[in-house]
Amino acid sequence: MSALVGREARTVAVVGLGLVGGSVARRLVDQGLDVVGVDPSAATRTAAAAVGVRCAGSIGDLAVECGWSAGEVPDVVVVAVPLRAMAETARELASALGVGATRGGVVLTDVGSVKAPVREAFAAAGLAGSYVGAHPMAGTEQSGFAASSAQMLAGARWAVTVDPATDAQRLQTLLRLVTGPLGGSAVLLSDADHDRATALVSHVPHVLATELLRLVGRSPVRDVALGLAAGSFRDGTRVGRTDPRRTEAMVRDNANDVAPLLREVARDLAVLAGRLERGEDIAAVFDEPAPVRETLARGGDGGGDDVDAAGAAGAVGSAGHGDDWRARLLAEAAAGAVVVGVDADTGALRYA
């Protein structure tokens, strides 16, 4: 098993120093890691350099400065660019890293809220075996490096995706980074399940929050309503106050999962409106979510029973299980397992 243990990341490159990428960079610098960053904005690079991030304006420039062509590749590259730029970024990384991407063991990951299209972009660039998808479930309605914070990711739950091309060592390396210096925990799942889940708990809520703002904006009593608004409106519209282009991109990028849910929301609301107009009983509408309310009241963890860490020991890349270790990890996660650490000697995952 020792040959299959992922490394401890000491050097990390962050491509894109916005809210999430900037927060990753700040956090890792604070934890003593060597962090290099890429961002086209000179102002962003200046601000990042002031907190200890070595910066360049492009992947090519960073590769030259850091000696990537000579094999001095980072342990992990975190890509934090918009999805529309992902394919080009993956191609640039493939060119800059060369054989170091596959033979050097570098982990390529991202922090985007959609996973399937990102994996496709890395696969098209010839980097499928180096990629492990990730998505920290943390953020604010603000954007840019100025809004980033080393504390934003503290205690965050990360979604980390596994598919048939996922490499055991790279998965372990990323999980060690997430549960170690980044201060989070991780849930393992497939790309498809990730994209369906984030549509439910992130993308559709952004749409609904925006719709509330649209309703108020169209109303003849807009100013009076805003003057009366309190906690329910504030909480219900917080994410609707983010950069509209960012929300638009998020929803469009996950259209296949978001659109059916929006149609379901529209049907449910149409039924509710009809019942209200006819004076019918509507109690069931508000009673149906009781199990979800109970789960949230217990702390928001929808998982099942805790998983015994010893029972999962050796599952990652275990020689006796062939490719079954991937399916086993996904099954553990589906049963409620949350990864909180990786054994440095054996590579076994520690679960909460």
Side-chain angles (χ1 to χ4, degrees), residues 14-52:
V14 182
V15 182
L17 296 171
L19 174 66
V20 181
S23 295
V24 168
R26 288 178 186 269
R27 174 88 187 180
L28 295 180
V29 167
D30 282 1
Q31 294 296 308
L33 276 70
D34 179 22
V35 181
V36 294
V38 177
D39 199 279
S41 166
T44 294
R45 295 196 301 272
T46 298
V51 298

Side-chain angles (χ1 to χ4, degrees), residues 7-352:
R7 72 178 75 179
E8 178 184 3
R10 299 183 182 279
T11 60
V12 176
V14 182
V15 182
L17 296 171
L19 174 66
V20 181
S23 295
V24 168
R26 288 178 186 269
R27 174 88 187 180
L28 295 180
V29 167
D30 282 1
Q31 294 296 308
L33 276 70
D34 179 22
V35 181
V36 294
V38 177
D39 199 279
S41 166
T44 294
R45 295 196 301 272
T46 298
V51 298
V53 181
R54 294 188 289 126
C55 294
S58 70
I59 291 172
D61 290 344
L62 189 66
V64 171
E65 179 181 330
C66 295
W68 288 5
S69 60
E72 297 296 326
V73 296
D75 297 316
V76 178
V77 177
V78 179
V79 180
V81 303
L83 184 62
R84 63 180 180 275
M86 193 63 68
E88 177 61 26
T89 301
R91 289 192 293 269
E92 290 177 3
L93 284 171
S95 175
L97 291 167
V99 295
T102 53
R103 298 181 190 170
V106 62
V107 179
L108 303 177
T109 189
D110 72 308
V111 293
S113 65
V114 185
K115 293 273 81 74
V118 178
R119 188 178 300 278
E120 292 170 4
F122 278 93
L127 299 171
S130 300
Y131 174 73
V132 183
H135 176 204
M137 303 306 293
T140 74
E141 67 274 19
Q142 302 173 24
S143 59
F145 186 80
S148 67
S149 165
Q151 296 306 310
M152 191 183 83
L153 298 172
R157 180 72 55 84
W158 288 64
V160 175
T161 60
V162 176
D163 97 327
T166 300
D167 176 74
Q169 290 171 286
R170 288 178 170 87
L171 175 60
Q172 291 170 346
T173 295
L174 181 61
L175 290 174
R176 290 179 70 176
L177 182 68
V178 166
T179 61
L182 286 171
S185 59
V187 172
L188 304 179
L189 68 172
S190 68
D191 293 332
D193 283 350
H194 169 275
D195 292 353
R196 284 191 287 264
T198 53
L200 281 167
V201 300
S202 178
H203 304 161
V204 168
H206 274 77
V207 174
L208 297 181
T210 302
E211 179 61 20
L212 283 173
L213 295 178
R214 293 175 69 198
L215 283 173
V216 171
R218 291 195 297 256
S219 172
V221 295
R222 181 194 67 183
D223 293 339
V224 173
L226 289 175
L228 294 171
S232 60
F233 183 76
R234 180 190 64 242
D235 295 343
T237 60
R238 181 185 65 80
V239 295
R241 304 176 199 181
T242 192
D243 179 356
R245 299 287 75 77
R246 187 173 75 175
T247 302
E248 176 191 5
M250 177 194 307
V251 172
R252 188 184 297 276
D253 293 344
N254 202 17
N256 289 340
D257 288 306
V258 172
L261 291 174
L262 292 180
R263 293 191 183 281
E264 187 173 349
V265 168
R267 288 194 297 269
D268 287 349
L269 293 179
V271 169
L272 175 59
R275 290 179 180 176
L276 286 170
E277 291 168 344
R278 294 187 295 271
E280 297 174 357
D281 181 24
I282 60 172
V285 173
F286 300 98
D287 292 342
E288 182 181 343
V292 178
R293 291 192 187 101
E294 293 171 5
T295 298
L296 294 173
R298 292 196 301 268
D301 191 339
D305 296 334
D306 288 348
V307 177
D308 181 4
V316 182
S318 176
H321 298 96
D323 287 341
D324 289 349
W325 64 268
R326 299 176 180 86
R328 290 184 61 190
L329 289 185
L330 293 178
E332 302 279 13
V338 177
V339 180
V340 295
V342 181
D343 188 279
D345 296 322
T346 68
L349 306 186
R350 295 198 304 272
Y351 291 127

